[in-house]
């Protein structure tokens, strides 16, 4: 830490006050009066058609019509009427088998109720705005500070975990700000500034290693440890279940940072046909993992870096990863299907693996070097000091500003200019003098106090600059997405620039986007489309699919459960990595090629590597050019009997929608409804007990859930999510296809009852197989497009779709129809929509 001054307490106090003021001004009063009510005719409709089942405290589903208020002046009343309107519009309520509604009644109830809800929704929005007080998420903070300061520190890990609402962490209504979070933010800011000022002022320390097998291996005869051994001139690690085996102590890094790792490796005794390797046509290979960690029992957590498939011929792989100080690299076989050696005593002796005839990975060469993806030292200096001349001070052993001969007035003016420049970048817009003045005054005060404390003029300059930057980064104008509108209620160009940049890149606008905002032409349809396409192609924008799908599809939870190795013996971390790569590459391809939304569900291709194809038990997998698969994720044309194709058959989706050991049609069905079909499922009534699965397998889940069909309050929701839930029952909790359930008999799992995936959809269509279900929902392109647009708008704006947004979503879908509901076209229509361009 360099020049961290005595201003900490003052900045902490200022930041607390500023953020609390932002919270106080950003939150809305949901129960404030809104002069709108449901028409009398709609109240009469409810009384005449619903009172029989929903009368009093014992009403079905806990709903009492007599307590229903026609006034829409509270959020609770408004949302109750929205649910009523939706249920009646879909024909779910009143139950058609109980009450026959005259068409004339619906023709009066639905439009009148919709008009009242639309008016109330617009009144709420006119009073409060659609999104209030949205702050940067942990990952957005990390990337913004990385771009702003040209550093690469993984700052998000310093912040407390975030609450997810409907899958998303950026929804304003779910965001909180506590004193603990404020203190965490200050820690994050200090860490970022320390990293930046150290990069700018310290000599550029180089660190690199280039090791051959003798330097990699650390197991001479007679020594037992968990490092590779030298065999026939190569550093070899054998297949084993021992933790940390394959660690390379000579790779322990001296400082935390981003490192480029270049590995040349080959396979020793590669498996010819591992279990499940059906019809493999590629050369025998051994899947290996590359991880980092302290590799000791007191610090057991390991960080994933990557994987590769080693063959008899050596190949070279390159990775980039952040590695904390003192951590080392571990490279080892990681295929759960291959034979493993057994070692005694927790260590491995020289030659002990050789005689067990197991596969191993041989390292020919290992190179590592410290890199700076955020920018070189000169780019960091430019961000911090701009055009200030610098010199190296031999006494301080640091680079310091060249201010010899400058008056105090001139120095303070330079500091003011730097603070103004930095603040406008951090605040993501031109900023008025009255807003900037406190930060400038504070920086000047810091300069004077540093001098009075005995600091040299150069030291005082850097200390004051750092204190000023810290104050800027503690301002709610940095921490929050402050959005401004013009006289028509539309976001101004700078607000649109930030919204678009954080939507696509998860970070602050770049220079090109800032210039477009400054020109005042960013909000034109042509500019929006051009900038959106440019950002999607940029290195920052290539993370859009991964970040969006992590929240939309719950892929962030991929590590939440660990499949039981007794039930899923061929599942391993390499398979999981391949599953994520399949989904990410698939979604990126759909977006890049603007393919129809139906391909999201019913595609005749996917993206696989050799390990995942083998896990899926796909015979003779080849890519679109007819080449056998290896460790690259490539497009694979699918055959009908492989039971794959579309998002619902991806292992990543099937894993996050199961509990690790078993499946639940309820959980998967709700997930499909909410994430794919756009149907929000309310929580079950409090008086309905949860269904406990029969772990013995004597009773199928279909039999356990059958009792819900006889309960009207349960059946109303179950009829929506049971069909997709049962349609996915042919996939187990690990994402593999199954024709039968497992059944526990005599302490062992055996083949149980056949899986029955058939069901009847709400609209009356029946299906017998997963493939038939998939075709049914893929045919409803309007529904899929509306949900995709809804998910994009929610992610982009930080607020769920409200009743007033429904016509906007309809307009987006209508526009996308012109391009056959192309996925990229839907995204473009979202960016051009009123909901995206308004507060």
């Amino acid at each position: 830490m360099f020049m961290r001054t005595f201003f900490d307490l003052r900045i902490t106090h200022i930041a607390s006050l500023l953020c609390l003021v932002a919270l106080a001004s950003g939150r809305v009063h949901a129960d404030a009066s809104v002069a709108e009510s449901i028409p009398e005719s709609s109240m009469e409709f409810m009384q005449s058609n619903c009172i029989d089942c929903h009368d009093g405290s014992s009403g079905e589903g806990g709903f009492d019509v007599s307590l229903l208020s026609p006034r829409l002046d509270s959020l609770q009343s408004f949302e109750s009427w929205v649910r009523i309107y939706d249920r009646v519009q879909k024909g779910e309520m009143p139950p058609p088998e109980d009450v026959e509604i005259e068409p004339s009644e619906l023709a009066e109830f639905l439009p009148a109720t919709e008009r009242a809800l639309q008016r109330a929704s617009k009144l709420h929005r006119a009073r409060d705005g659609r999104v209030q007080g949205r702050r940067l998420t942990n990952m957005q903070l990390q990337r913004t500070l990385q771009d702003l300061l040209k550093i690469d520190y993984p700052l998000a890990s310093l912040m407390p975990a975030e609450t997810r609402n409907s899958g998303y962490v950026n929804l304003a209504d779910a965001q909180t700000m506590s004193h603990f979070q404020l203190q965490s933010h200050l820690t994050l800011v200090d860490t970022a500034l320390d990293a930046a000022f150290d990069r700018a002022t310290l000599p550029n320390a180089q660190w690199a290693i280039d090791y051959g097998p003798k330097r990699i291996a650390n197991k001479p005869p007679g020594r037992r440890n968990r490092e590779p051994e030298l065999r026939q001139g190569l550093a070899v690690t054998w297949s084993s279940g021992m933790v940390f085996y394959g660690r390379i102590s000579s790779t322990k890094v001296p400082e935390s940072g981003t490192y480029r790792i270049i590995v040349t490796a080959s396979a020793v005794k590669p498996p010819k046909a591992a279990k499940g390797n059906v019809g493999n046509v590629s050369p025998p290979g051994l899947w290996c993992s590359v991880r980092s960690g302290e590799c000791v029992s007191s610090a057991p957590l390991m960080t994933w870096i990557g994987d590769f498939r080693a063959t008899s011929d050596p190949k070279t792989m390159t990775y980039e990863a952040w590695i904390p100080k003192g951590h080392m690299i571990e490279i080892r076989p990681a295929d759960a299907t291959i034979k493993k050696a057994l070692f005694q005593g927790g260590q491995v002796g020289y030659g002990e693996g050789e005689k067990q005839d197991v596969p191993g990975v041989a390292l020919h060469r290992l190179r590592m070097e410290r890199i700076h993806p955020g920018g070189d030292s000169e780019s960091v200096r430019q961000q911090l000091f701009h055009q200030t001349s610098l010199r190296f001070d031999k006494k301080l052993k640091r680079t310091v500003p060249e201010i010899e001969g400058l008056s105090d007035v001139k120095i303070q003016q330079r500091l003011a200019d730097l603070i103004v420049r930095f603040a406008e970048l951090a605040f993501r817009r031109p900023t008025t003098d009255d807003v900037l003045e406190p930060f400038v005054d504070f920086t000047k005060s810091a300069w004077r106090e540093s001098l009075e404390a005995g600091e040299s003029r150069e030291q005082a300059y850097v200390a004051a600059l750092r204190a000023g930057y810290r104050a800027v980064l503690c301002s709610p104008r940095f921490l929050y997405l402050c959005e401004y509108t013009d006289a028509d209620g539309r976001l101004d160009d700078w607000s649109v620039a930030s919204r678009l940049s954080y939507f696509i890149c998860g970070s602050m606008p770049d220079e090109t986007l800032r210039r477009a905002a400054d020109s005042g032409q960013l909000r034109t349809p042509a500019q929006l489309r051009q900038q959106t396409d440019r950002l999607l192609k940029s290195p920052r924008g290539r993370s859009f699919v991964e970040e969006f799908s992590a929240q939309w599809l719950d892929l962030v939870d991929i590590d939440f459960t660990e499949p039981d190795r007794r039930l899923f013996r061929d599942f391993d971390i390499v398979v999981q990595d391949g599953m994520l790569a399949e989904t990410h590459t698939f979604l990126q391809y759909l977006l890049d090629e603007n393919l129809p939304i139906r391909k999201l569900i019913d595609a005749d291709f996917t993206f696989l590597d050799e390990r995942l194809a083998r896990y899926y038990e796909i015979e003779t997998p080849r890519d679109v050019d007819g080449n056998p698969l290896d460790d690259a994720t490539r497009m694979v044309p699918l055959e009908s009997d492989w039971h794959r194709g579309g998002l619902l058959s991806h292992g990543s989706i099937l894993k996050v929608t199961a509990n690790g050991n078993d499946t639940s049609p309820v959980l998967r069905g709700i997930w499909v409804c909410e994430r794919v079909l756009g149907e929000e499922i309310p929580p079950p009534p409090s008086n309905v007990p949860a269904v406990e699965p029969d772990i013995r397998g004597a009773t199928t889940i279909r039999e356990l859930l059958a009792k819900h069909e006889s309960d009207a309050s349960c059946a109303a929701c179950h009829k929506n999510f049971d069909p997709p839930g049962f349609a996915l029952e042919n996939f187990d909790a690990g994402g593999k296809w199954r024709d039968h359930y497992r059944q526990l008999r005599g302490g062992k799992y055996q083949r149980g009852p056949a899986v029955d995936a058939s069901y009847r959809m709400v609209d009356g269509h029946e299906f017998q197989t997963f493939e038939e279900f998939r075709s049914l929902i893929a045919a409803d392109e309007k529904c899929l497009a509306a949900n995709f647009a809804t998910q994009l708008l929610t992610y982009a704006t930080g607020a769920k779709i409200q009743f007033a947004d429904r016509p906007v979503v309809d307009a987006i879908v209508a526009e996308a129809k012109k391009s056959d509901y192309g996925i990229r076209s839907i995204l473009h229509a979202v960016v051009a929509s009123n909901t995206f361009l308004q507060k």
Side-chain angles (χ1 to χ4, degrees):
M1 299 179 186
F2 178 51
M3 299 298 183
R4 182 174 294 183
T5 66
F6 44 80
F7 306 114
D8 286 11
L9 181 59
R10 182 184 301 180
I11 295 296
T12 301
H13 181 61
I14 290 174
S16 299
L17 290 178
L18 288 173
C19 289
L20 290 174
V21 167
L23 287 175
S25 62
R27 294 302 174 190
V28 300
H29 302 286
D31 292 331
S33 177
V34 173
E36 185 59 51
S37 297
I38 292 295
E40 183 63 29
S41 60
S42 296
M43 292 296 297
E44 293 175 355
F45 176 91
M46 295 296 296
Q47 288 291 333
S48 61
N49 294 291
C50 304
I51 194 68
D52 289 344
C53 297
H54 301 284
D55 184 20
S57 58
S58 60
E60 292 184 3
F63 175 48
D64 183 1
V65 170
S66 64
L67 298 179
L68 190 63
S69 171
R71 292 179 58 84
L72 299 175
D73 55 357
S74 72
L75 185 61
Q76 180 180 1
S77 177
F78 178 81
E79 290 183 343
S80 294
W81 275 104
V82 170
R83 287 194 294 271
I84 290 169
Y85 172 83
D86 288 342
R87 300 289 292 275
V88 174
Q89 184 190 44
K90 293 177 181 179
E92 298 174 358
M93 289 291 169
E97 62 273 16
D98 296 337
V99 179
E100 184 175 349
I101 305 295
E102 293 293 333
S104 58
E105 290 186 84
L106 291 177
E108 181 178 4
F109 173 81
L110 292 174
T113 306
E114 181 182 17
R115 286 192 296 268
L117 291 171
Q118 283 287 352
R119 288 193 298 267
S121 184
K122 291 177 181 178
L123 285 171
H124 276 288
R125 181 169 299 183
R127 182 196 64 200
D128 301 326
R130 183 173 179 274
V131 185
Q132 299 84 33
R134 182 160 66 114
R135 62 172 170 80
L136 301 182
T137 66
N138 292 352
M139 187 55 67
Q140 288 172 344
L141 265 175
Q142 171 178 300
R143 289 182 175 162
T144 302
L145 287 168
Q146 287 175 341
D147 288 343
L148 184 62
L149 299 172
K150 304 300 180 184
I151 59 175
D152 58 336
Y153 200 99
L155 300 162
S157 61
L158 302 177
M159 295 296 289
E162 297 171 293
T163 301
R164 295 177 66 207
N165 185 356
S166 298
Y168 298 100
V169 298
N170 65 331
L171 300 193
D173 289 345
Q175 290 181 326
T176 60
M177 180 58 72
S178 65
H179 284 287
F180 174 68
Q181 286 172 307
L182 285 174
Q183 185 59 53
S184 298
H185 180 73
L186 289 170
T187 300
L188 176 142
V189 167
D190 282 332
T191 301
L193 288 173
D194 284 343
F197 275 91
D198 283 350
R199 286 283 316 286
T201 61
L202 285 174
N204 190 14
Q206 300 287 339
W207 186 89
I209 61 173
D210 190 347
Y211 292 160
K214 290 184 179 180
R215 292 294 303 274
I216 298 171
N218 186 25
K219 199 194 305 293
R223 178 182 297 180
R224 303 187 80 241
N225 59 26
R226 303 189 189 188
E227 308 240 356
E229 64 187 58
L230 197 63
R231 174 192 182 272
Q232 298 180 11
L234 298 176
V236 175
T237 298
W238 302 103
S239 170
S240 169
M242 181 181 294
V243 296
F244 311 136
Y245 178 41
R247 65 189 180 190
I248 305 170
S249 59
S250 58
T251 63
K252 185 179 293 186
V253 300
E255 297 293 340
S256 299
T258 301
Y259 290 83
R260 179 176 291 121
I261 306 156
I262 305 173
V263 182
T264 301
S266 63
V268 178
K269 303 179 182 179
K272 295 182 179 180
K275 182 180 179 182
N277 197 4
V278 181
N280 182 33
V281 294
S282 57
L286 175 66
W287 280 90
C288 304
S289 63
V290 182
R291 303 189 298 174
S292 67
E294 292 187 48
C295 297
V296 293
S297 58
S298 60
L301 296 181
M302 301 290 288
T303 301
W304 179 260
I305 294 177
D307 55 39
F308 63 91
R309 184 174 181 269
T311 62
S312 297
D313 297 325
K315 60 189 295 187
T316 300
M317 292 70 59
T318 301
Y319 309 93
E320 291 183 5
W322 175 271
I323 303 178
K325 179 180 179 180
H327 286 212
M328 65 184 75
I329 301 299
E330 174 211 81
I331 303 175
R332 63 182 299 166
D335 189 336
T337 66
I338 62 175
K339 181 182 177 182
K340 292 178 173 55
L342 298 176
F343 303 110
Q344 301 298 322
Q347 304 293 348
V348 181
Y350 182 87
E352 291 181 13
E354 179 82 46
K355 59 187 178 183
Q356 298 189 52
D357 196 28
V358 296
V361 57
L363 302 184
H364 299 241
R365 188 179 182 186
L366 176 61
R367 287 165 284 173
M368 290 180 62
E369 61 176 332
R370 174 80 182 273
I371 61 173
H372 300 284
D376 58 17
S377 296
E378 183 56 38
S379 65
V380 182
R381 295 188 191 104
Q382 177 66 18
Q383 284 297 97
L384 296 182
F385 299 104
H386 196 39
Q387 297 178 352
T388 303
S389 298
L390 303 171
R391 66 176 177 83
F392 186 76
D393 189 302
K394 294 182 179 180
K395 182 179 179 180
L396 294 174
K397 297 181 180 180
R398 286 180 178 267
T399 297
V400 297
E402 180 63 76
I403 56 176
E404 187 69 28
L406 294 180
S407 66
D408 284 0
V409 173
K410 186 66 174 178
I411 288 176
Q412 291 186 62
Q413 184 57 51
R414 282 196 176 185
L415 287 171
D417 292 342
L418 288 172
I419 292 298
V420 169
R421 174 182 176 273
F422 185 83
E424 292 195 340
L425 288 173
F427 297 164
R428 303 174 284 275
R429 66 190 304 100
T431 308
T432 57
D433 292 343
D434 62 315
V435 171
L436 295 171
E437 185 176 359
F439 300 101
V440 172
D441 290 346
F442 179 80
T443 305
K444 291 179 179 179
S445 175
W447 153 261
R448 292 189 296 268
E449 293 181 26
S450 291
L451 289 177
E452 293 172 0
E455 302 277 7
S456 69
R457 297 174 88 238
E458 290 83 3
Q459 289 174 315
Y461 187 98
V462 176
L465 191 62
R466 186 191 186 283
Y469 287 168
R470 191 176 191 241
V472 168
L473 297 177
C474 290
S475 168
R477 294 178 184 273
F478 169 74
L479 182 56
Y480 284 79
L481 288 168
C482 300
E483 298 178 322
Y484 299 85
T485 59
D486 58 21
D488 297 326
R490 289 164 57 87
L491 294 175
D492 65 15
D493 287 78
W494 289 96
S495 298
V496 171
S498 286
R499 181 169 283 193
L500 181 61
S501 184
Y502 280 100
F503 174 40
I504 301 296
C505 304
S507 185
M508 59 187 285
D510 61 8
E511 184 177 354
T512 302
L513 199 54
R514 292 197 299 270
R515 286 199 303 266
D518 195 47
S519 70
Q521 300 298 315
L522 181 57
R523 293 178 294 177
T524 64
Q527 266 287 308
L528 285 171
R529 187 179 188 91
Q530 177 185 337
Q531 293 293 340
T532 300
D533 286 337
R534 182 186 67 82
L535 291 176
L536 286 170
K537 292 178 183 178
S538 69
R540 297 194 312 163
R542 299 306 286 184
S543 64
F544 166 72
V545 163
E546 184 173 341
E547 292 297 320
F548 174 52
S549 62
Q551 298 180 58
W552 166 36
L553 303 176
D554 293 328
L555 298 184
V556 68
D557 294 331
I558 192 74
D559 292 320
F560 187 72
T561 58
E562 181 71 20
D564 190 331
R565 296 298 183 189
R566 297 170 298 177
L567 299 177
F568 305 94
R569 296 181 179 178
D570 52 353
F571 181 89
D572 52 44
I573 189 65
V574 176
V575 168
Q576 179 172 294
D577 189 56
M579 288 176 172
L580 287 174
E582 175 187 23
T583 302
H584 293 154
T585 310
F586 175 73
L587 292 173
Q588 189 68 58
Y589 182 77
L590 296 183
L591 180 63
D592 289 344
E593 300 299 321
N594 196 26
L595 294 185
I597 191 69
R598 61 180 176 272
K599 293 294 184 180
L600 185 71
I601 303 300
D602 195 6
D604 58 358
F605 61 87
T606 192
F607 292 84
L608 305 172
D609 57 33
E610 185 274 340
R611 180 69 183 94
L612 185 58
R614 174 155 48 92
Y615 179 78
Y616 285 165
E617 298 181 339
I618 294 178
E619 296 187 11
T620 61
R622 292 181 179 271
D623 66 16
V624 290
D625 297 321
N627 300 313
L629 298 183
D630 50 23
D631 48 9
T633 300
R634 301 203 299 270
M635 180 185 284
V636 175
L638 297 173
E639 298 181 13
S640 58
D641 59 349
W642 290 353
H643 308 295
R644 300 289 167 177
L647 204 61
L648 299 183
S649 67
H650 285 198
S652 60
I653 301 300
L654 297 163
K655 184 176 185 295
V656 299
T657 56
N659 66 6
N661 295 333
D662 204 356
T663 60
S664 167
V666 172
L667 296 179
R668 281 182 172 171
I670 292 175
W671 186 93
V672 173
C673 286
E674 295 186 338
R675 298 291 193 268
V676 178
L677 303 179
E679 298 178 7
E680 188 169 351
I681 305 298
S686 58
N687 59 346
V688 177
V691 176
E692 297 293 337
D694 181 356
I695 61 173
R696 298 172 302 168
T699 307
T700 67
I701 188 67
R702 183 180 291 268
E703 294 170 327
L704 290 171
L705 286 173
K707 61 181 179 181
H708 287 280
E709 297 180 0
S710 59
D711 189 315
S713 61
C714 294
C717 290
H718 273 265
K719 68 180 181 182
N720 289 311
F721 58 73
D722 278 353
F726 281 106
L728 298 182
E729 275 294 273
N730 277 116
F731 296 101
D732 65 21
K736 296 187 72 170
W737 182 266
R738 63 184 177 188
D739 291 312
H740 292 80
Y741 291 104
R742 286 190 178 98
Q743 192 171 44
L744 188 62
R745 296 175 181 172
K748 295 183 178 180
Y749 283 98
Q750 301 179 14
R751 192 172 79 164
V755 174
D756 181 5
S758 64
Y759 221 87
R760 178 193 295 269
M761 302 280 283
V762 176
D763 59 8
H765 286 95
E766 296 184 359
F767 60 87
Q768 301 300 316
T769 64
F770 164 71
E771 287 80 5
E772 291 180 7
F773 167 78
R774 184 176 59 187
S775 297
L776 283 174
I777 64 170
D780 194 351
E781 295 173 287
K782 184 177 179 180
C783 171
L784 296 175
N787 173 69
F788 189 61
T790 295
Q791 300 292 345
L792 288 172
L793 279 171
T794 301
Y795 180 69
T797 64
K800 294 181 182 180
I801 293 300
Q802 301 167 5
F803 202 84
D805 296 316
R806 293 184 178 186
V808 175
V809 173
D810 292 340
I812 292 172
V813 173
E815 179 65 25
K817 184 178 181 180
K818 301 174 184 177
S819 62
D820 197 20
Y821 298 105
I823 285 181
R824 197 182 193 91
S825 297
I826 296 173
L827 188 147
H828 279 305
V830 162
V831 172
S833 69
N834 287 334
T835 297
F836 185 89
L837 298 174
Q838 291 180 346
K839 180 73 170 72

